[in-house]
Amino acid sequence: MVRLGVEKVRITGGEPLIRKDLPVLVEKLARIDGLKDLAMTTNGVQLKRFAADLAAAGLRRINVSLDSLQRDRFFQIVRRDALDKVLEGLEELERHPSIRPIKVNVVTMRGMNDDEMLAFAKLAMRKPYIIRFIEFMPLDAQGEWRPEQVLTGREVFERINAYRRLVPIDTSTNGSPDTKYRFEDGSGEIGFINSVSEPFCSSCDRIRITADGHFRNCLFALEETDLKGPLRAGASDEELAALIRQSVRQKWAGHLINRKDFQRPSRSMSQIGG
């Protein structure tokens, strides 16, 4: 992948911190010549235990999923009583400045956590975290997503901006999918990923490899390309590159969420890799 021009790699899940010897994998990836950025997305439950080892292994950026700051609601969403562990993990990350920035991903859901947007904004103001509000997408494991559950990024922006004025940050050159703002007084930074209400497909250059070795050219793709099978059957680097190129050429112009002919993928986000 790096030889084909990939410069950034993100380790996701499911939950990557349950993988045996994850710091060893991070170290091996960090040594790849030409790889400029190595990041990870995690639920943060085991971060306190692994933060130091990940920093030493060469991890450079991290995203922590955190959809509620209320203990009972956190349990309702993720089905485990672990909010304190996630917050402790975030605090542990603060002790390792080589892993920056620390981003906190908040999936906004109407009727679920829509009353916590200011609480998260205040967290961004007092902690060195970038809080990112992500619109609820039809990739939930239960398959119960409905359009009316989507709390748009525009709505969240308006609520926070009414509390404390937000100033836009130019992100035109970093390839990030989020629209970033800082508070006018400089006390914190937040971002919005409005993938449902304001799709950014025209500028998306992300590709994914699933845990079982399938290549996906879009988060919402209905088809995958098997790479593990050919790899274990002895395919050459050139043959694997041809499979990757063919799939990338077939990348959709858009995800179709807001069209009547939209079909949700057979896999959930946790199976695809966020």
Side-chain angles (χ1 to χ4, degrees):
M1 293 285 188
V2 174
R3 284 171 50 191
L4 293 175
V6 171
E7 297 180 343
K8 301 178 181 179
V9 167
R10 173 174 298 279
I11 304 168
T12 68
E15 174 46 47
L17 289 180
I18 66 172
R19 186 191 191 277
K20 182 180 179 181
D21 296 328
L22 178 67
V24 175
L25 172 62
V26 170
E27 185 178 7
K28 290 180 177 180
L29 290 170
R31 289 202 303 261
I32 294 176
D33 187 32
L35 186 64
K36 298 180 180 180
D37 190 11
L38 181 58
M40 186 176 74
T41 297
T42 171
N43 64 22
V45 174
Q46 298 192 64
L47 260 180
K48 184 175 182 180
R49 172 186 173 192
F50 283 104
D53 289 342
L54 292 172
L59 190 71
R60 291 294 171 256
R61 293 188 299 117
I62 197 162
N63 292 7
V64 179
S65 299
L66 179 60
D67 297 331
S68 178
L69 295 171
Q70 298 179 21
R71 183 176 178 181
D72 57 343
R73 187 175 290 168
F74 182 94
F75 179 83
Q76 182 182 358
I77 294 173
V78 305
R79 300 177 183 175
R80 67 180 71 188
D81 186 11
L83 176 59
D84 289 345
K85 291 183 178 180
V86 177
L87 296 177
E88 289 172 0
L90 284 167
E91 290 186 358
E92 181 63 28
L93 282 173
E94 295 178 41
R95 300 183 177 94
H96 302 281
S98 63
I99 302 179
R100 290 294 186 275
I102 301 170
K103 297 182 179 180
V104 176
N105 290 347
V106 184
V107 176
T108 58
M109 295 169 280
R110 195 182 303 280
M112 177 61 75
N113 62 356
D114 50 354
D115 59 344
E116 294 191 63
M117 300 303 102
L118 287 183
F120 276 109
K122 292 174 182 178
L123 180 65
M125 294 171 66
R126 69 175 187 268
K127 284 288 191 176
Y129 314 147
I130 299 175
I131 306 296
R132 304 200 307 171
F133 298 103
I134 303 173
E135 292 181 348
F136 184 32
M137 294 181 286
L139 290 167
D140 54 309
Q142 295 78 22
E144 298 173 352
W145 178 92
R146 299 187 308 277
E148 55 268 27
Q149 295 175 298
V150 178
L151 178 65
T152 68
R154 175 52 54 182
E155 292 177 83
V156 178
F157 170 85
E158 290 174 352
R159 292 185 194 182
I160 297 174
N161 192 55
Y163 167 74
R164 186 70 60 85
R165 186 169 180 270
L166 294 170
V167 179
I169 299 172
D170 182 13
T171 59
S172 59
T173 59
N174 67 3
S176 176
D178 56 345
T179 304
K180 293 182 179 178
Y181 297 84
R182 64 170 55 92
F183 291 99
E184 189 174 36
D185 61 3
S187 59
E189 183 177 325
I190 63 175
F192 299 90
I193 300 181
N194 304 337
S195 48
V196 176
S197 65
E198 302 174 37
F200 44 84
C201 302
S202 61
S203 60
C204 175
D205 60 359
R206 299 194 170 196
I207 52 180
R208 289 169 169 82
I209 299 178
T210 64
D212 55 358
H214 286 73
F215 182 87
R216 297 178 64 89
N217 58 25
C218 174
L219 184 59
F220 292 92
L222 300 177
E223 298 180 350
E224 302 175 340
T225 299
D226 180 20
L227 295 182
K228 185 176 75 170
L231 179 64
R232 292 192 173 178
S236 65
D237 288 353
E238 290 71 23
E239 289 170 327
L240 291 172
L243 290 172
I244 293 166
R245 288 194 178 99
Q246 181 181 13
S247 180
V248 170
R249 292 190 191 104
Q250 296 170 345
K251 188 173 175 68
W252 292 353
H255 56 47
L256 311 180
I257 290 177
N258 297 309
R259 288 175 37 170
K260 291 183 178 180
D261 56 347
F262 170 73
Q263 292 179 260
R264 60 177 294 148
S266 59
R267 297 187 192 237
S268 67
M269 175 71 90
S270 62
Q271 294 170 315
I272 295 170

